Amino acid sequence: METNHNVFSNSKITVTYEPCRCINAELCAKQLSEVFRSSVIPWIDLDGAKTKKIIKQVKRCPSGALQYYLNRKEVA
């Protein structure tokens, strides 16, 4: 069964979430609840914390369900 990845972006970072990989450890919501919110939709709010803090939390995801990449500004 194929599932769609959830993609959340702001001007600096994009975070993807793969629900099939998630083991529901809830580390993201417990440790950075201003970004990873369990009771609202959309549940990831990338404006809730600084980019470095979000990256640090994504790297703690035990299942790898959360991933990130930095957005690059195009040079005109």
Side-chain angles (χ1 to χ4, degrees):
M1 174 185 235
E2 185 176 327
T3 60
N4 293 328
H5 299 296
N6 292 297
V7 180
F8 304 87
S9 293
N10 67 16
S11 63
K12 295 180 181 179
I13 189 171
T14 295
V15 173
T16 60
Y17 169 65
E18 294 181 60
C20 288
R21 291 183 69 179
C22 183
I23 61 171
N24 294 308
E26 298 181 7
L27 291 179
C28 56
K30 289 177 183 173
Q31 296 176 352
L32 193 58
S33 62
E34 355 17 323
V35 173
F36 301 98
R37 309 166 303 164
S38 59
S39 61
V40 294
I41 296 174
W43 75 279
I44 296 178
D45 177 15
L46 297 178
D47 295 324
K50 294 192 180 276
T51 300
K52 286 183 180 182
K53 202 169 184 182
I54 295 169
I55 291 169
K56 187 175 179 181
Q57 189 61 49
V58 168
K59 288 181 176 181
R60 291 182 182 149
C61 180
S63 66
L66 292 170
Q67 298 290 317
Y68 78 94
Y69 60 89
L70 297 175
N71 302 329
R72 297 179 186 215
K73 292 185 179 183
E74 294 183 27
V75 179

